Amino acid sequence: MAFLTINGRSVAYRLLGAAANPLVVLAHPLGMSQAVWDDVLPALLPRYRVLTWDLPGHGASQAWGDGLITPAALAAEALALVDHAGAERFHFAGTSIGGVVGQALISEHAERLYTATLTNTGAVIGNPELWNTRAGRVRQEGLAAMSEEIVPRWFAPACFEAEPALKAGWCTQMGRGDDDSYALLCEMLGRDTFDGKLAGKAVKVQLLGGSEDLATPPSTLEALAGELDGAPLEILEGVGHVPSVEVPGLFAAKLLAVMAVDLGDVGANGVDYATGLATRKQVLGEAHVARSTEGATSLDAPFQQMITRLAWGELWSNADLTRRERSMITTGILAALGREELTLHLKTAKRIGLTEAELRQVLMHVAIYGGVPAANHAFALAKELGWGE
């Protein structure tokens, strides 16, 4: 876990995975913490860089302090973390109040989103009386006392039956939170809604809900779908309010499907230049791609466009292999053939997160199947570029 000071507050976050992978930002529900994503991470990290963080007064993040909390302020906090990670655009997934953060991003910062997956949330959640009453009780009684009442509403009964310790664990986690920050977030949910603020935004949105969700039942998600121009909605049977905890494998599969690049009918139409360019920038870095494109002349500009569409659009954007796997294949081929692009892809292998042991095995395969001189040259070049100790 790491910490970043944002507007004078310490915010706890995790940034995991290779810089060359597209970024996905995950926002947790009210009263919980970024730990709700732990069982989803193994499915995401081979293909994505993952950013999670704790909301104000939750987990290890500092309490809010003075003033109201607004969805815009929470979205700004998320964007500050994204900027810190060095990403311009990103995928987003949020549950409950995390989905409210997602709605704020869609409403005001749609140009920065590739996709948004909003689960167990709504443009309007509950009503002001409900949230103001809860805020008052939390300030008076404390989260530790109220957790026994609130936590059971998060999960389907079958989930508690399968994991009896789940209730006690999340009650403990909730009880450690800051009472006033939680109360301020309750008041935000009662005050700030997204009715009439989400239509006409050019963002791919997927909505997920749970058939057993008491806090945001399917009808709440249906209303949100209407606000989002009829965004697709799927209700997960037998699931409550927190699918990433209850059914992490299923949730990860749904999220991966939403985030996958839709290449369309490649045989008939190819892949558009913009898709290839986005992947090329992620893998090679913005600076390298800028040098390549700015240095192009009338002679080789069509060539740059071709490799962007074919190599980076049709191959590297395809989800059948991870970028890590493609890096190993590409490095091995270039080493065996002795191509000058090997230097670039040895640097790229570091961005993608190849380990020294993985690179060694790639080059040893080159030695056996491509020739010892080729591997010897590749090992020497890798050492010049900082591989090895």
Side-chain angles (χ1 to χ4, degrees):
M1 187 181 297
F3 298 88
L4 182 68
T5 300
I6 303 174
N7 295 327
R9 285 181 50 254
S10 176
V11 177
Y13 74 96
R14 294 180 295 186
L15 181 60
L16 308 171
N21 283 336
L23 181 68
V24 55
V25 178
L26 306 176
H28 69 77
L30 181 67
M32 304 185 85
S33 73
Q34 59 185 308
V36 300
W37 309 112
D38 286 358
D39 292 339
V40 177
L41 293 176
L44 300 184
L45 286 173
R47 299 178 185 276
Y48 293 92
R49 199 178 195 199
V50 179
L51 172 64
T52 69
W53 85 103
D54 288 323
L55 292 175
H58 289 59
S61 283
Q62 189 174 344
W64 182 256
D66 297 330
L68 300 178
I69 303 178
T70 65
L74 297 179
E77 189 165 281
L79 291 175
L81 290 165
V82 170
D83 292 341
H84 183 66
E88 178 60 31
R89 300 186 68 194
F90 56 97
H91 300 277
F92 180 87
T95 296
S96 186
I97 198 170
V100 173
V101 178
Q103 292 171 64
L105 290 168
I106 293 169
S107 176
E108 300 298 331
H109 305 281
E111 76 284 353
R112 299 199 63 175
L113 296 172
Y114 288 122
T115 66
T117 301
L118 309 180
T119 94
N120 307 82
T121 189
V124 179
I125 303 175
N127 59 69
E129 181 181 0
L130 179 153
W131 290 115
N132 291 334
T133 299
R134 181 180 293 188
R137 287 188 60 195
V138 166
R139 288 190 176 102
Q140 182 177 8
E141 302 173 32
L143 284 170
M146 289 193 64
S147 63
E148 291 281 342
E149 173 185 331
I150 295 172
V151 169
R153 293 174 54 83
W154 293 346
F155 303 102
C159 186
F160 274 158
E161 292 173 10
E163 298 183 63
L166 199 63
K167 178 182 176 182
W170 281 109
C171 282
T172 300
Q173 173 67 58
M174 185 178 186
R176 291 173 176 166
D178 176 66
D179 296 338
D180 192 58
S181 297
Y182 183 97
L184 287 169
L185 289 168
C186 288
E187 289 165 347
M188 182 197 83
L189 291 173
R191 179 185 65 245
D192 299 320
T193 69
F194 283 89
D195 279 344
K197 299 177 183 178
L198 301 172
K201 307 298 182 180
V203 179
K204 178 183 178 182
V205 178
Q206 173 67 52
L207 303 180
L208 298 174
S211 65
E212 306 301 310
D213 187 356
L214 299 177
T216 52
S219 59
T220 300
L221 274 295
E222 290 166 2
L224 178 57
E227 295 289 335
L228 287 161
D229 301 317
L233 165 63
E234 183 175 358
I235 300 300
L236 307 179
E237 288 299 320
V239 175
H241 192 58
V242 196
S244 62
V245 174
E246 295 178 78
V247 285
L250 176 61
F251 176 81
K254 299 292 184 185
L255 182 56
L256 287 169
V258 173
M259 297 190 296
V261 176
D262 183 4
L263 299 181
D265 188 342
V266 176
N269 304 315
V271 175
D272 65 272
Y273 177 81
T275 297
L277 183 62
T279 298
R280 190 179 183 187
K281 287 179 177 180
Q282 289 166 359
V283 175
L284 300 181
E286 298 259 358
H288 172 82
V289 176
R291 287 193 301 270
S292 297
T293 54
E294 290 169 6
T297 68
S298 58
L299 175 65
D300 65 339
F303 169 73
Q304 289 291 332
Q305 294 168 5
M306 181 187 72
I307 62 173
T308 299
R309 287 185 287 102
L310 296 181
W312 299 104
E314 293 198 14
L315 285 180
W316 283 83
S317 297
N318 184 289
D320 291 344
L321 296 175
T322 66
R323 291 179 180 177
R324 186 188 202 89
E325 291 164 340
R326 292 191 188 279
S327 178
M328 288 191 281
I329 292 170
T330 303
T331 300
I333 292 172
L334 292 174
L337 295 175
R339 298 291 192 246
E340 65 179 74
E341 291 93 340
L342 177 60
T343 298
L344 171 62
H345 281 274
L346 284 169
K347 294 177 181 177
T348 299
K350 281 198 170 186
R351 280 179 53 82
I352 285 178
L354 256 65
T355 66
E356 180 181 312
E358 288 170 331
L359 178 63
R360 183 187 308 115
Q361 286 301 312
V362 168
L363 298 185
M364 291 176 76
H365 273 256
V366 170
I368 296 300
Y369 295 101
V372 170
N376 188 50
H377 169 72
F379 271 116
L381 185 56
K383 289 165 70 176
E384 288 178 13
L385 296 171
W387 286 92
E389 296 180 359

